Amino acid sequence: MGDVYRAIADPTRRAILDELVERDGQTLFELCTRLVTKHDVASSRQAVSQHLDVLVDAGLVSRRREGRYTFHHVHTAPLGEIPARWPTTGG
Amino acid sequence: MGDVYRAIADPTRRAILDELVERDGQTLFELCTRLVTKHDVASSRQAVSQHLDVLVDAGLVSRRREGRYTFHHVHTAPLGEIPARWPTTGG
DNA sequence: TTGACATGCAAGCGGTCGCTTGCCTATCGT
DNA sequence: ACGATAGGCAAGCGACCGCTTGCATGTCAA
């Protein structure tokens, strides 16, 4: 199992998480185009794919294969470790 | 201002935060010895100092000079950005 | 079956990261 | 003043990271 902290250390991966939270279950090409148009992130298909590998390995994203499409789903639960480890004022 | 996400990407820096949360206001040498004895982290003085630079740059730690001692204080507030950006279930 | 589409796999490259090494400054005790 | 202590500064090095490049796999439409 990969490292959740390292997974969110990269700004492109954070933008991917933002996109998946806004619209869950996107394919690789969907993510690429939406990252360009809405997050000003111009990464190639392979780059985004490798970023998704890291996110999957950290348990933040899961893949669901359907025909020739692969849909990506976000899971923010592992991020709960962070405020649990270092509580901020009030929670 | 540095990146909060990159600051907590390193396991040694996370151990430093853990130590400062448990006992705030430690000096550099205090941190070094306690990291060894309690967190199984064997980093040199310079290494820990450079890690503290990153944490200070991210706003997670502040320094207070007093004579020949430099005390370090932790500020977990910037970490609140993370659960605010990707809310987990119930938070 | 053929071609186009969506994705996966792996080697290679430049840049950054964390650490070491070496030397320097500043403060306290005597 | 002198030595010891606490810390700072900067160059250099190996390892990892993110990206590109090239090719292979698998699926759907006609």
Side-chain angles (χ1 to χ4, degrees):
Chain A
M1 179 71 99
D3 192 345
V4 180
Y5 301 95
R6 198 186 75 83
I8 62 171
D10 185 85
T12 300
R13 285 196 287 269
R14 295 197 291 269
I16 291 176
L17 288 182
D18 288 337
E19 246 307 307
L20 286 179
V21 165
E22 186 177 336
R23 179 192 275 207
D24 198 28
Q26 296 190 48
T27 71
L28 181 56
F29 275 146
E30 265 182 295
L31 276 170
C32 287
T33 56
R34 287 180 135 245
L35 284 175
V36 171
T37 59
K38 303 184 58 178
H39 299 268
D40 291 318
V41 174
S43 289
S44 72
R45 174 183 65 86
Q46 290 84 350
V48 174
S49 178
Q50 287 170 3
H51 281 307
L52 285 169
D53 286 339
V54 177
L55 291 172
V56 168
D57 203 50
L60 291 169
V61 166
S62 67
R63 297 190 218 259
R64 173 172 54 91
R65 191 77 186 251
E66 210 165 288
R68 63 174 154 173
Y69 299 104
T70 299
F71 302 100
H72 297 83
H73 298 268
V74 65
H75 305 289
T76 55
L79 293 172
E81 176 186 344
I82 301 176
R85 185 168 180 177
W86 303 292
T88 58
T89 43
Chain B
M1 180 70 101
D3 194 344
V4 179
Y5 300 95
R6 198 186 76 80
I8 63 171
D10 186 86
T12 300
R13 284 196 288 268
R14 296 197 291 270
I16 291 175
L17 289 182
D18 288 337
E19 246 308 307
L20 285 179
V21 164
E22 188 177 336
R23 178 193 275 208
D24 198 28
Q26 297 190 48
T27 70
L28 181 56
F29 275 145
E30 265 183 295
L31 276 170
C32 287
T33 56
R34 288 181 133 243
L35 283 174
V36 172
T37 59
K38 302 184 58 176
H39 299 267
D40 290 319
V41 174
S43 290
S44 70
R45 175 182 65 87
Q46 291 84 352
V48 175
S49 177
Q50 287 170 3
H51 281 306
L52 285 169
D53 287 339
V54 177
L55 292 172
V56 167
D57 203 50
L60 290 168
V61 166
S62 66
R63 296 192 218 259
R64 173 172 55 91
R65 191 75 187 250
E66 210 166 291
R68 62 174 158 175
Y69 299 104
T70 299
F71 302 101
H72 298 82
H73 298 268
V74 66
H75 304 291
T76 55
L79 293 172
E81 175 186 345
I82 300 175
R85 184 169 180 176
W86 303 292
T88 59
T89 43

